[in-house]
Amino acid sequence: MRIAMIGTGYVGLVSGACFADFGHHVTCIDKDPAKIAMIRGGKMPIWEPGLDALVKANVDHGRLTFTTDLAEGIDGADAVFIAVGTPSRRGDGHADLTFVFEAVRELARALTGPVVVVTKSTVPVGTGDEIARILAVEKAPVGTSVASNPEFLREGAAIRDFKIPDRIVVGTDDESARETLREIYRPLFLNQSPIVFTSRRTAELTKYAANAFLAMKISFINEMADLCEAVGADVQEVARGIGLDNRIGAKFLHAGPGYGGSCFPKDTLALLRTAEEAGVEQRIISTVVKVNDDRKAAMADRVREAVGGDLAGKKIGVLGLTFKPNTDDMRDAPSLALIAGLLDGGATVVAFDPVGREHAEPLLPGIAFAEDAYAVADGADALVVVTEWDEFRGIDLADIAKRMRGDALIDLRNIFDGAEVVRAGLSYRGIGRPA
Ligand code: NAD
């Protein structure tokens, strides 16, 4: 199969490289010339484990190419995927579809024969209908069809998720489009990855429902953590105790500082806007959004309490800035709300993140950056673990304690054993665990 991928970001680049690895011929297109030049030069514009090797191998085999020229990139394609960003629209939380519709218009004008246009971007219900309308208005070749194929990969484990997906969702009523997508994903049949064929609207909604459900699980366990703290129970054990139940499942039951990232915050909001427009209340998800916003804002108070009730003049070390480990993505990261609260309270902040600094620096002008985790502790009154990077787990706590001015370790990801922290001479506050 010949595939074109419009948008070469976290999703487009990973999907394009994986499709090429399946044996298809893939051209990744991006309107950002710097990004394309960088990839062509062998450097990845994003930090994703294993991606550079996968891209290189497929480029070397001649199956994967990159261009900024859409007409050149889609030439001869059987399917054109759209993987451009759909951020929250400023002010109202609707999904901003500007990039999607721009790409579709450009595509319609460039097409010389029918293709299957596949939306991989997360888009609200009815976007596929609008794409079909634009294609018709722009006189795209007869036989061009529109399918929805939402992406469920997680940053940090994106290649594995793409190659061994729990399921593939394809939404279209067009039998030949279905056949093209079946062929594209055929290499996964060996792993018996189920393909769920639905209508286009159902596929579009399925993606939002999945993210909203996962966001709900996180907010659920976060509220349970608050209850655990009040009644002297341990949320880690509660999570294990319920997670071993197959009906519940163990994933997304890690209590923490609230969810962030490029998907959950914007997708929950966009789902609420869709529901509003449809006149259907979504009380659970609107509560989840509020619980999460409040939680992120409240994290600075935990640090305030740990340093004696006043942040003014305190030096706070922050370990981890990205919204989760194994990515450089800072979009809506909990660290941003936490650090804003610390600075508001009059603290100075020094932070370290193994890969996130480049994206974090422009977002956090008021803080200092350290070269490693130990330097963050130098002279600090408190140390806060915000992102659970593996390299923090084995840190020498006694060395950290020696370097600090104060003794508070606030572990917002529960990566440490509290007793060990105390043995090293520090005080320990986790999330949802007995003091
Ligand atoms: P991103 O911002 O990393 O990448 C989007 C890319 O599209 C950018 O490089 C941009 O330059 C390019 N682009 C925009 N308009 C273009 C055009 N007209 N022609 C060519 N290129 C264009 O975004 P992302 O994180 O990859 O997300 C893409 C979509 O996938 C979003 O809808 C997102 O919700 C969804 N999604 C993301 C993830 C994730 O973990 N990041 C997971 C599943 C789904």
Side-chain angles (χ1 to χ4, degrees), residues 7 9-11 30-31 35 84 86 122 151 155 262 266 331:
Y10 286 88
V11 166
D30 205 285
K31 65 176 184 183
K35 196 173 262 191
V84 300
T86 51
T122 302
E151 184 49 56
E155 288 174 21
S262 60
K266 78 171 176 68
R331 288 178 276 188

Side-chain angles (χ1 to χ4, degrees), residues 272-282:
L272 290 179
R273 295 296 94 83
T274 298
E276 256 168 42
E277 280 176 359
V280 179
E281 260 193 298
Q282 292 291 304

